[in-house]
Amino acid sequence: MEFQLFHTTLSLSLLLFIMGGGFLAGFVDSIAGGGGLVSLPVLMAAGLPPHLAVGTNKFSATFGAVMSAWQFWRAGKIDQDLLKKILPCTFIGAVIGCLVMLHLSSEWLQPIIIIALIAAAVIVFTQRRLGAVSTYCGATKGKLLAAAAMALGIGFYDGFIGPGTGTFLIIGFAALGFDFVTAAGNAKILNLMSNLTAFVLLVASGKILYVYGVAMAVCIFAGAYFGSRLAIRRGTGFVRLVMLAVTVALIGKLGLSYFGIV
């Protein structure tokens, strides 16, 4: 069975594949980040060339980011004062990263991402108290500079390619002293900013295939709704466990891709 949408034909099996991947990506990303390592390969497996896949993925991921950010905001699991100060850094980083992505290949970043994810997994696994309770007592000068640098750097990465952004942000906020749930909430706000920024630039550059993007976005939105509510209800231990699982999966996926195995 095939569907004709906006002059593009989608088979039923391909449509279900895209939507299933979208739901899983939204669910996982809303809890621990890393949803892009599900949704981006799904779009590439559906036959989209790399730049269109990145753009379409950013389009659909933005809807999940809206839902996740709203759920954490409504539950009060964010630090508004800190976020107001560092959001501009995320915006600037995402603009630069997206402009670079439109002109350069992203392949050289892959080994760096793998190493960074391994380091993140080691930190989460060995530092058992990291993110267990909140030790954050306000934005000292040092912590504010560290948060601003993190927002700028990860904003750049998200604008450039994106997968794993949420995981890196959660680790960063936990290192600043936030518990994992609040770290996830803060991460969702910054992730929303970088997603929206890259989304606008990619729309202007014509790098989005809307048929695939809309189909995936609907399910990412639904997955993000259920995932964020589960994270808020289950608490930091649950988020930490999912983060470890997601990080290990991301390392495996990127490693296999890097060495040409999959």
Side-chain angles (χ1 to χ4, degrees), residues 8-259:
T8 300
T9 301
L10 281 177
S11 67
L12 177 60
S13 59
L14 182 58
L15 181 63
L16 292 175
F17 175 66
I18 291 171
M19 295 179 73
F23 183 88
L24 180 60
F27 183 86
V28 169
D29 195 67
S30 65
I31 299 172
L37 263 297
V38 177
S39 56
L40 186 57
V42 164
L43 290 169
M44 295 187 72
L48 274 67
H51 282 82
L52 264 180
V54 170
T56 303
N57 181 60
K58 191 64 64 179
F59 168 82
S60 56
T62 299
F63 290 87
V66 169
M67 172 55 72
S68 295
W70 168 246
Q71 291 292 333
F72 281 98
W73 180 290
R74 189 175 66 172
K77 298 298 184 179
I78 62 168
D79 188 301
Q80 295 187 35
D81 183 61
L82 177 63
L83 292 176
K84 288 175 184 177
K85 295 173 182 175
I86 64 175
L87 271 173
C89 298
T90 301
F91 171 76
I92 294 169
V95 169
I96 297 171
C98 189
L99 292 176
V100 170
M101 184 275 293
L102 291 171
H103 294 92
L104 296 177
S105 169
S106 62
E107 291 180 1
W108 63 274
L109 267 182
Q110 201 160 11
I112 298 175
I113 299 168
I114 294 171
I115 293 170
L117 282 169
I118 291 173
V122 169
I123 291 170
V124 174
F125 185 77
T126 58
Q127 302 297 314
R128 295 302 179 98
R129 300 303 301 165
L130 181 70
V133 294
S134 178
T135 60
Y136 182 77
C137 300
T140 62
K141 185 177 180 179
K143 286 192 174 182
L144 183 57
L145 287 174
M150 175 185 70
L152 180 67
I154 299 180
F156 172 87
Y157 170 69
D158 197 26
F160 188 83
I161 184 169
T165 296
T167 304
F168 291 133
L169 284 171
I170 294 172
I171 291 290
F173 279 116
L176 288 173
F178 290 98
D179 65 83
F180 269 135
V181 174
T182 307
N186 291 338
K188 297 313 165 191
I189 302 299
L190 293 192
N191 206 7
L192 175 59
M193 169 61 79
S194 56
N195 269 330
L196 284 172
T197 303
F199 166 71
V200 171
L201 291 173
L202 289 164
V203 167
S205 302
K207 298 297 184 182
I208 297 173
L209 189 58
Y210 291 99
V211 174
Y212 289 74
V214 170
M216 179 168 275
V218 171
C219 292
I220 284 181
F221 192 83
Y225 173 80
F226 290 108
S228 56
R229 289 177 66 87
L230 187 61
I232 293 167
R233 187 169 67 248
R234 295 290 297 274
T236 59
F238 175 72
V239 175
R240 184 177 186 276
L241 181 63
V242 175
M243 277 198 62
L244 278 172
V246 169
T247 304
V248 171
L250 297 189
I251 293 168
K253 172 65 178 66
L254 284 171
L256 292 173
S257 297
Y258 182 67
F259 291 107

